[in-house]
Amino acid sequence: MFRIAPRLRLVKPRQVCSSWRNLNTQGTGLGLPETLRRVLDNGISGQTVRVTGWIRSVRVQKRIAFAEVADGSTLKGIQIIMDDPQMANELTTGCSVEIDGVLADSPGREQSKEIQVTAVNVLGRSDPESYPLQKKRHTLEFLREIGYLRPRSQTIAAVTRLRDHAEAGLHRFFHDNEFVRIHTPALTSNDCEGGGETFTATTSGSDHPETDFFGKKVNLTVSGQLHLEVFAGAFKRVYNFNQAFRAEPSQTGRHLSEFWMVEAECAFVNDLSTLINVEEEMVRSTTQYLVDKAGADLGFFTQKNEPLTRLVQKLTDRHQQFARISYTEAIDILQKAEEKAKFVYKPQWGNDLQSEHERYLATTHFAGPVFVTDYPAAIKSFYMMPNPDSRTVACTDLLVPGPCELAGGSLREYDYNRLAKKVDELGFEQGSLDWYLDLRKFGSTPHGGFGMGFERYIQMVTGLESVRDIIPFPRHAGRCQY
Amino acid sequence: MFRIAPRLRLVKPRQVCSSWRNLNTQGTGLGLPETLRRVLDNGISGQTVRVTGWIRSVRVQKRIAFAEVADGSTLKGIQIIMDDPQMANELTTGCSVEIDGVLADSPGREQSKEIQVTAVNVLGRSDPESYPLQKKRHTLEFLREIGYLRPRSQTIAAVTRLRDHAEAGLHRFFHDNEFVRIHTPALTSNDCEGGGETFTATTSGSDHPETDFFGKKVNLTVSGQLHLEVFAGAFKRVYNFNQAFRAEPSQTGRHLSEFWMVEAECAFVNDLSTLINVEEEMVRSTTQYLVDKAGADLGFFTQKNEPLTRLVQKLTDRHQQFARISYTEAIDILQKAEEKAKFVYKPQWGNDLQSEHERYLATTHFAGPVFVTDYPAAIKSFYMMPNPDSRTVACTDLLVPGPCELAGGSLREYDYNRLAKKVDELGFEQGSLDWYLDLRKFGSTPHGGFGMGFERYIQMVTGLESVRDIIPFPRHAGRCQY
């Protein structure tokens, strides 16, 4: 049924299935070849197995040959042992294989099982001269240059599995707490955050939005907050998990032009501490989920990294709240530390916290997560709820070691007249926020919400420096590969 | 701590909490006000309760008043009963309330519990004259005009909860089967599907992509397939759940410019039937998940709709495979039905199936889901695996009553030389697909995948005609509200 390239034999799924009858406990009968994870978890010594994957390394000795096969389902692959070194003749790093053999307990400490090979079948070859991913350690910068192959590297593979589990942990947290997921849009006609660092979506490329596809200027979203507020006005507790877009020209490893965010919005909440409770528990339970479900991948990053190990402990500790201080207290701490810390920017009440300030608070002073609350109104968004002092607003930033600013949230102004006055003062385009205002007309409720950068979260738990190594296909100024 | 608007009292979360000590079994202690679902599920008759939500309807009689309170957590709200009709004086449709009362068994058949009210507190008023959502039945078209309020309507609320559960069901299916979720990008420099119906993302709006943000033309993705293939080359089983974008000018209710898709890719698969097994089981288990977890919302659509009820039964029946026919057989069926069915387009081998043909197959002939396989190579994409007859390719479309084409998939050409020849013949921009070709250079494997339109899936199980009622914020030609 298939054109077969010379020297390429093909897997026969039905055979794979039948040789797996003992292991296949899923019962879906889908006929997919097994993953190595299930071989290692469920296989029994002495059992005949067929596995598929890619060769990570080969070691040929006089009377025996070893190779490591990986398939992305585990941090380490599985060791295969060939009693006849000639069996390894065609094995090169990167080639895809189908291996028949017998499962055996491994004498090594590194893994529990290995395979005594009876037949080797190379499915797709990999020229050892030109294959870019050799066994030697590559830098993350180099791996970025071969973005289409880097998922096979141990670091990127571990990050990918952690992303998968972290997302699952987030969904579990929100569903356990009865939040409804809302699919907020990427294309939007509002630009509430302002700032102008937005992408326009266009079909004509012209400067005349009125003749473009939507008949007006349409941007890629910078945040789903306003859209979530619409649904919080009917569902009480809502969240999203979406891409957001910022045309941030900076060329540091801290910013991506396309990144993932989780945002939540809760109606009938008039207390910032309640919002902080939700935010804190989201981070704690998601991290606990990683510890429980992806311990090996997490361990790959935390082992030999004392501060990261302690951070994960702090994040998952049920008996210890995250630190909570006001912006005013933060400024006080920073001013006292000024001499020792040698800040470039002077900490001063009224100015926004600089990265160096945030880093000092999270990494040096608290050495762990800290919620900073009640920032000056003048440096925060128009929709935030003013505090009774009328100088500050009921908002919070969550600072952590690593990415510094992990999340931000606030109570929202829910009174129509007060919000309308603000919108007016700020000179938004006439009518552009009418629908947002109208939400305050019909059954408005005290409410609030927050957003957390997903890549920043992964950056925090892996300790990786650049967010470019955390997203499958990084996009930033001057770079959009594939 | 908060500026209180005249006549607006505020919820005090701590009080809400303490009055809920008996019901709060979640143990998270987040301090969020309870949802009506938990009141109805876990509440005990005679218990003192405080609930929050929005008034859906009010009925005042001489000596008693009734109202329905909803908060999006249930299809129906909860009935509250006021022994003093004056308590209902300020209640209007749409206003937000906090209600204190005592839970009682309901004498009505429609719901199990109701609340005998002791105190009513209107939090946010809703002017009955101008509130657009009155108790009377509104058309879906009208609801689209008030997009910021329509989540409060029963239909849109039920769709929203079904979306949430359907997504959760998909994640469960893929994780149970050890697929890894990959966050494929929205911004992409490739346009593999061609066709030209793509949006460009730009910061300058100019016609000179080389001076734009990324230094080249960047589109909004139409499919994550190629990016998934990258990760399938390291992870064996991968999937995504993302937005896709098409600048489709059509003004029917069948197309959105921004929609959600789930796509999957499996390495080491060389058999179309294995791929079809995965696709079928994904649809079956997700639908079963809806039946199990969102029965009331699903029932809202299936009740009084015999064909839809039967369809859901067929989709969840573990003992009956979905129908599977070849394109050639489909043409045969269509040609035999030609006279009776009065097609506008003549069914003819070599031409693509028209909507009317697909509809006939799924709705009339099979009255259920049908996989059509092995279409002519000439009308399908360049990356699909040719069959030995060399006229057809190893692909499949899943047709269903309602949206017709629900999903599409294929085995992919995995041989470098054969694919390079194809890319050459089709005249793709020089070098633009090098990375995609290179995937076939280093450990290529037989593989395949498929994609399913998420809105189409929801359309199928709800029977709704227009996809514009299925996504929270519909975008289509000339329309991008909010």
Side-chain angles (χ1 to χ4, degrees), chain A residues 1-2 26 33-35 38 71 96 164 167 175-176 178 181 186-187 205 236-237 258 270 388 444, chain B residues 1-2 26 33-35 38 71 96 164 167 175-176 178 181 186 205 236-237 258 270 388 442 444 475:
Chain A
M1 186 173 169
F2 299 92
Q26 295 179 281
E34 280 303 334
T35 60
R38 276 172 45 82
D71 73 349
S96 62
D164 183 27
E167 188 198 338
H175 284 145
D176 280 357
E178 294 183 88
R181 170 162 182 181
L187 299 172
K236 226 173 201 171
R237 307 182 194 174
E258 172 182 343
N270 68 349
S444 185
Chain B
M1 184 173 170
F2 299 93
Q26 295 179 282
E34 281 302 334
T35 60
R38 278 174 42 83
D71 74 349
S96 63
D164 182 28
E167 187 197 338
H175 285 146
D176 280 357
E178 294 184 87
R181 170 161 182 183
K236 229 174 201 172
R237 307 180 194 176
E258 173 182 342
N270 69 349
F442 305 114
S444 184
R475 277 85 178 86

Side-chain angles (χ1 to χ4, degrees), chain A residues 32, chain B residues 174 179 225 228-229 232 236 238-239 262-267 269 271-272 274-276 278-279 383-384 394-397 407-413 446-452:
Chain A
L32 292 171
Chain B
F174 283 112
F179 283 72
Q225 179 199 319
L228 275 186
E229 281 187 67
K236 229 174 201 172
V238 291
Y239 79 109
V262 59
E263 294 171 291
E265 199 74 26
C266 312
V269 168
D271 183 340
L272 190 61
T274 301
L275 212 58
I276 293 179
V278 177
E279 220 173 313
Y383 49 70
M384 293 187 181
C395 71
T396 180
D397 279 358
S410 76
L411 298 179
R412 325 299 192 188
E413 177 59 84
H447 66 287
F450 58 86
M452 178 177 82

Side-chain angles (χ1 to χ4, degrees), chain A residues 36 53-61 64-71 75-82 87-97 99 111 117 120 126 128 131 133-137 152-154:
Chain A
L36 291 182
W54 293 267
I55 294 292
R56 224 179 227 173
S57 64
V58 191
R59 195 154 44 93
V60 182
Q61 296 177 353
I64 197 166
F66 304 90
E68 187 189 351
V69 183
D71 73 349
L75 181 64
K76 294 196 174 175
I78 192 164
Q79 176 159 264
I80 62 170
I81 295 154
M82 291 151 282
M87 291 176 108
N89 275 355
E90 293 183 44
L91 296 185
T92 60
T93 307
C95 74
S96 62
V97 292
I99 303 288
Q111 57 174 19
V117 178
V120 169
S126 168
Y131 187 60
L133 257 183
Q134 296 304 326
K135 201 193 142 87
K136 70 173 172 111
R137 248 190 125 67
R152 288 189 190 170
S153 77
Q154 219 171 13

Side-chain angles (χ1 to χ4, degrees), chain B residues 196-358:
Chain B
E197 286 177 349
T198 51
F199 292 99
T200 302
T202 171
T203 49
S204 65
S206 83
D207 298 332
H208 303 288
E210 62 282 6
T211 62
D212 208 279
F213 187 82
F214 293 111
K216 59 178 163 184
K217 190 168 187 292
V218 162
N219 295 320
L220 297 186
T221 190
V222 294
S223 154
Q225 179 199 319
L226 305 197
H227 299 99
L228 275 186
E229 281 187 67
V230 168
F231 277 78
F235 284 89
K236 229 174 201 172
R237 307 180 194 176
V238 291
Y239 79 109
N240 71 5
F241 182 77
N242 271 55
Q243 279 130 312
F245 306 86
R246 294 209 182 163
E248 159 73 49
S250 135
Q251 278 292 7
T252 69
R254 293 188 59 207
H255 295 281
L256 292 167
S257 304
E258 173 182 342
F259 55 97
W260 290 78
M261 272 214 294
V262 59
E263 294 171 291
E265 199 74 26
C266 312
F268 298 102
V269 168
N270 69 349
D271 183 340
L272 190 61
S273 67
T274 301
L275 212 58
I276 293 179
N277 289 345
V278 177
E279 220 173 313
E280 177 171 328
E281 189 55 27
M282 172 188 75
V283 173
R284 182 176 292 120
S285 75
T286 302
T287 311
Q288 187 62 52
Y289 191 86
L290 292 185
V291 171
D292 296 343
K293 306 272 185 175
D297 291 318
L298 196 60
F300 176 74
F301 295 102
T302 54
Q303 70 180 358
K304 298 177 193 161
N305 186 336
E306 270 281 353
L308 188 59
T309 304
R310 275 200 307 276
L311 176 61
V312 169
Q313 277 162 359
K314 275 197 176 181
L315 292 172
T316 51
D317 185 353
R318 298 223 149 264
H319 304 293
Q320 183 71 46
Q321 244 190 6
F322 294 1
R324 299 180 184 197
I325 56 168
S326 71
Y327 166 87
T328 304
E329 289 166 321
I331 292 293
D332 196 45
I333 291 169
L334 292 168
Q335 285 177 340
K336 281 181 182 143
E338 219 178 328
E339 224 165 283
K340 201 175 57 185
K342 297 199 175 73
F343 296 129
V344 177
Y345 296 90
K346 207 176 154 63
Q348 199 150 22
W349 205 101
N351 294 345
D352 208 354
L353 298 184
Q354 299 293 322
S355 294
E356 56 177 350
H357 304 151
E358 296 180 338

Side-chain angles (χ1 to χ4, degrees), chain A residues 183-455:
Chain A
H183 299 95
T184 55
L187 299 172
T188 174
S189 53
N190 85 66
D191 172 23
C192 118
E193 298 269 331
E197 286 178 349
T198 52
F199 292 100
T200 301
T202 170
T203 49
S204 65
S206 83
D207 298 331
H208 303 288
E210 61 283 4
T211 62
D212 207 280
F213 187 82
F214 293 112
K216 58 179 163 184
K217 191 166 188 292
V218 162
N219 295 320
L220 297 186
T221 189
V222 294
S223 154
Q225 179 199 319
L226 305 197
H227 299 100
L228 275 186
E229 282 188 67
V230 168
F231 278 78
F235 285 89
K236 226 173 201 171
R237 307 182 194 174
V238 291
Y239 79 110
N240 71 4
F241 182 78
N242 272 55
Q243 280 130 312
F245 305 86
R246 294 207 183 163
E248 160 73 48
S250 136
Q251 277 293 6
T252 69
R254 292 188 61 206
H255 294 282
L256 293 167
S257 304
E258 172 182 343
F259 55 98
W260 289 78
M261 271 215 294
V262 60
E263 295 171 290
E265 198 74 26
C266 313
F268 298 102
V269 168
N270 68 349
D271 183 340
L272 189 60
S273 68
T274 301
L275 212 58
I276 292 180
N277 288 345
V278 177
E279 221 172 311
E280 177 172 329
E281 188 55 27
M282 172 188 75
V283 173
R284 183 177 292 121
S285 74
T286 302
T287 311
Q288 187 61 54
Y289 191 87
L290 291 185
V291 171
D292 296 343
K293 307 272 183 175
D297 291 317
L298 196 60
F300 176 74
F301 295 102
T302 55
Q303 71 181 358
K304 297 176 191 161
N305 186 336
E306 270 281 353
L308 189 58
T309 304
R310 276 200 307 277
L311 176 61
V312 170
Q313 277 163 359
K314 275 196 178 182
L315 292 173
T316 51
D317 185 354
R318 299 224 149 263
H319 304 293
Q320 183 71 47
Q321 243 190 8
F322 296 0
R324 300 181 184 197
I325 57 168
S326 69
Y327 166 87
T328 304
E329 289 167 320
I331 291 294
D332 195 46
I333 291 169
L334 292 168
Q335 286 178 340
K336 282 181 180 144
E338 218 178 327
E339 224 165 282
K340 200 176 56 186
K342 297 199 175 75
F343 297 128
V344 178
Y345 296 89
K346 206 177 156 58
Q348 197 150 23
W349 206 102
N351 294 344
D352 209 354
L353 298 183
Q354 299 293 323
S355 295
E356 57 176 350
H357 304 149
E358 294 180 338
R359 193 172 310 114
Y360 178 83
L361 290 169
T363 308
T364 311
H365 191 86
F366 290 100
V370 50
F371 285 101
V372 181
T373 64
D374 306 296
Y375 284 68
I379 57 171
K380 288 290 181 181
S381 297
F382 74 97
Y383 50 70
M384 293 185 180
M385 190 73 184
N387 283 326
D389 66 13
S390 78
R391 296 202 308 163
T392 62
V393 285
C395 70
T396 180
D397 279 359
L398 172 55
L399 310 181
V400 295
C404 290
E405 191 188 328
L406 177 65
S410 75
L411 298 179
R412 325 298 192 190
E413 176 59 82
Y414 61 88
D415 179 78
Y416 181 89
N417 294 322
R418 289 196 304 255
L419 189 63
K421 196 160 160 274
K422 267 280 189 50
V423 166
D424 233 37
E425 284 167 11
L426 288 168
F428 281 94
E429 199 182 323
Q430 186 68 34
S432 66
L433 282 172
D434 278 0
W435 64 277
Y436 185 64
L437 282 164
D438 282 354
L439 287 177
R440 275 76 178 161
K441 252 188 194 163
F442 305 113
S444 185
T445 78
H447 66 286
F450 58 84
M452 176 178 84
F454 185 63
E455 279 72 27

Side-chain angles (χ1 to χ4, degrees), chain B residues 20 23 38-45 47 103 113:
Chain B
W20 273 99
L23 287 186
R38 278 174 42 83
V39 175
L40 291 169
D41 285 357
N42 304 351
I44 298 157
S45 187
Q47 191 167 23
L103 212 54
K113 299 205 181 64

